[in-house]
Amino acid sequence: STGMGGVGGPVAGPNLVRALPEPSAAALSLDTPVRVRFDQPMDRASVEAALSIDPPAAGAFTWDADNEVRFTPAAPGLLPGITYTVTLTGTARSVAGTPMQEPATWSFHTAPPVEVQAVEPPGVTVPPTGSLTLRFGAPMYTGEDPGAVVLRAAGAAANLPARIEWAHDGTELTITPLAPAPLGDLYLRVAPTARTACGAPIAARWFVQRRGTVQGILGAGAVDGTDVRGHTLRLELAKG
């Protein structure tokens, strides 16, 4: 048989005949597995040791056949907007102990994160029963997901009961407290579990506004009063 590594045969070393994602594939879902198929049954331990992904990604190997292995990224998946390079070294061996004729390397690119913006302008004040709105850069999954978007008062241990309404196209969300929110800071959080209608992640950033003064878009470091696991919008509630 003819593969990526050359011509196989009864006494030849194994060849890689299929690699997925295909080289230079782009905009891939973060849960996309890496699959490789050989023209011979393979020594599983040697293949798993020979296969690497850069940047490194946690995950698990599954063998679909003696000559086909799949690496599935662990949740929450690969990083968005990143070029990953897969390398299969020549130390991968067939069950007969013959090493691969040639190593293989290919790359693919994951989908970029979807942007999310707060509609309320910087420094805005809202009444205790006022609504807050988020606008997304792509249609979002609008099914039941209680933890995807929540409201929480500063210092509170539980989320505020709230009504969530989606625009028809799934790109805008409005959340309204079911009862007057306490005076003080109010957090609007979009959790990392939020996904687009196609399963892509939202942008890994959050917004903070404090006492009407814009603090800017923050980086990955922890900030006092900020939940770094998702997006947090902090607003000063109007008195009265």
Side-chain angles (χ1 to χ4, degrees):
S1 61
T2 301
M4 295 178 64
V7 178
V11 296
N15 300 301
L16 181 61
V17 296
R18 188 180 187 189
L20 295 175
E22 294 183 353
S24 301
L28 298 177
S29 171
L30 302 190
D31 59 356
T32 298
V34 173
R35 297 173 182 263
V36 292
R37 181 185 298 168
F38 302 89
D39 63 353
Q40 299 180 33
M42 299 297 290
D43 176 82
R44 298 186 178 189
S46 71
V47 172
E48 293 176 14
L51 183 68
S52 64
I53 300 177
D54 186 44
F61 289 99
T62 303
W63 285 83
D64 300 316
D66 287 338
N67 66 333
E68 185 170 351
V69 65
R70 168 168 36 105
F71 176 83
T72 303
L78 302 173
L79 297 174
I82 295 292
T83 296
Y84 281 89
T85 299
V86 183
T87 300
L88 185 65
T89 69
T91 57
R93 303 187 306 273
S94 68
V95 292
T98 308
M100 284 186 60
Q101 295 193 36
E102 294 182 11
T105 300
W106 71 99
S107 298
F108 61 89
H109 196 80
T110 54
V114 174
E115 296 290 336
V116 55
Q117 299 285 343
V119 173
E120 283 69 28
V124 70
T125 57
V126 295
T129 55
S131 299
L132 299 174
T133 305
L134 293 175
R135 186 169 293 135
F136 298 87
M140 298 293 291
Y141 170 74
T142 60
E144 184 68 20
D145 189 356
V149 181
V150 297
L151 276 177
R152 181 174 294 191
N159 300 325
L160 295 173
R163 181 179 69 254
I164 293 177
E165 298 175 302
W166 285 95
H168 178 70
D169 62 359
T171 61
E172 191 167 287
L173 175 148
T174 300
I175 185 167
T176 307
L178 296 181
L183 296 179
D185 292 335
L186 183 66
Y187 294 83
L188 172 58
R189 178 175 182 262
V190 182
T193 56
R195 290 288 187 269
T196 68
C198 297
I202 59 174
R205 67 181 191 180
W206 56 95
F207 304 90
V208 179
Q209 291 178 315
R210 184 171 299 163
R211 300 182 183 88
T213 301
V214 179
Q215 301 298 309
I217 299 175
L218 306 179
V223 177
D224 182 30
T226 301
D227 184 345
V228 299
R229 294 170 296 174
H231 303 253
T232 304
L233 176 67
R234 186 173 183 175
L235 300 171
E236 183 75 7
L237 291 179
K239 297 183 179 179

